[in-house]
Structures are given as structure tokens and as C-alpha cells.
């Protein structure tokens, strides 16, 4: 940086990320436009994405947010579905017992 301005930590981190992104972009463009390149040019962004995808479980950290998401998807959603389906079936059963509606035909039994 040629100028003498002071940057916060977040601003410096953003500037470094932009510089790294530009560097990777220039490297990829050089690789693509090289007349002597091998048959396949591998995109470094795809390599990074594949690495992260393959090693997700090694670097996973249980945080309150991920714990809440796991609890919601693993406990709350199934219990809610069970309660709603049971309540619906019980309502239908009670209406059939009281004669409010006719018993639906069961096509699976004779």
C-alpha cells in the first residue's frame, strides 16, 4: 500500500482477501491462456471447494448454532410431524365414530 491511511483489522483482512482472489484469478487466466498447457486446466477454486467438501467432518466444530440446527432437524421436526399426523388421524377417527362422516373405504383389505 502506497498511501499512509490507517485501516482497521477488518478492512485489512478484506484487502488481503481481495488481493488473494485477484492473484488466484490472474494465475488461472495465465494457465488457461498458456499455449503449452496440458489438455486439462484445473481451476484452483474448484480444488479448494473439493478439499473443503471432503474434509468437512475433520474441521467441524460444534457451536451453539450448529447444535441448535441439529436439535431442530433431528428432534423438533420429526416430533412435530408425528403430532400433526396423529392429531389428524384421531380427528378423522372421532368423526367416523360419531357418524359425522362415513368411514372411508379401505382399498387394501377385502
Amino acid at each position: 500500500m502506497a498511501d499512509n491511511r490507517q485501516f482497521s483489522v477488518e478492512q485489512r483482512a478484506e484487502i488481503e482477501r481481495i488481493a488473494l482472489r485477484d492473484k488466484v484469478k490472474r494465475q488461472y487466466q495465465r494457465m488457461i491462456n498458456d499455449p503449452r498447457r496440458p489438455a486439462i486446466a484445473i481451476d484452483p477454486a474448484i480444488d479448494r471447494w473439493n478439499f473443503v467438501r471432503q474434509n468437512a467432518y475433520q474441521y467441524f466444530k460444534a457451536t451453539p448454532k450448529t447444535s441448535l440446527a441439529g436439535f431442530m432437524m433431528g428432534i423438533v421436526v420429526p416430533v412435530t410431524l408425528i403430532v400433526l399426523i396423529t392429531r389428524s388421524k384421531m380427528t378423522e377417527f372421532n368423526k367416523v365414530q360419531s357418524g359425522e362422516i362415513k368411514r372411508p373405504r379401505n382399498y387394501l383389505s377385502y
Side-chain angles (χ1 to χ4, degrees):
M1 303 230 91
D3 51 5
N4 295 328
R5 290 186 291 172
Q6 297 293 322
F7 294 106
S8 68
V9 175
E10 293 87 13
Q11 290 171 333
R12 276 184 283 177
E14 182 67 26
I15 290 169
E16 289 173 6
R17 282 193 297 271
I18 290 171
L20 180 63
R21 194 177 313 130
D22 288 340
K23 180 182 173 186
V24 169
K25 192 183 296 183
R26 280 193 309 273
Q27 176 188 0
Y28 182 67
Q29 288 299 324
R30 267 188 259 128
M31 186 173 52
I32 286 294
N33 295 321
D34 184 13
R36 298 178 308 270
R37 74 169 188 250
I40 298 175
I42 299 173
D43 188 356
I46 293 176
D47 279 344
R48 286 192 307 273
W49 183 78
N50 282 331
F51 177 80
V52 169
R53 202 172 126 220
Q54 291 169 355
N55 297 312
Y57 295 114
Q58 292 176 4
Y59 298 104
F60 175 77
K61 292 182 181 177
T63 62
K65 184 176 179 181
T66 57
S67 299
L68 179 65
F71 177 75
M72 294 296 282
M73 294 300 140
I75 305 292
V76 174
V77 171
V79 168
T80 303
L81 287 174
I82 290 170
V83 167
L84 291 175
I85 291 170
T86 304
R87 190 175 294 163
S88 170
K89 295 299 272 178
M90 289 304 293
T91 303
E92 182 183 356
F93 179 74
N94 289 338
K95 286 182 180 180
V96 168
Q97 289 295 331
S98 67
E100 198 172 319
I101 61 172
K102 187 179 174 187
R103 179 183 297 268
R105 179 173 172 102
N106 186 356
Y107 291 105
L108 298 177
S109 65
Y110 296 105

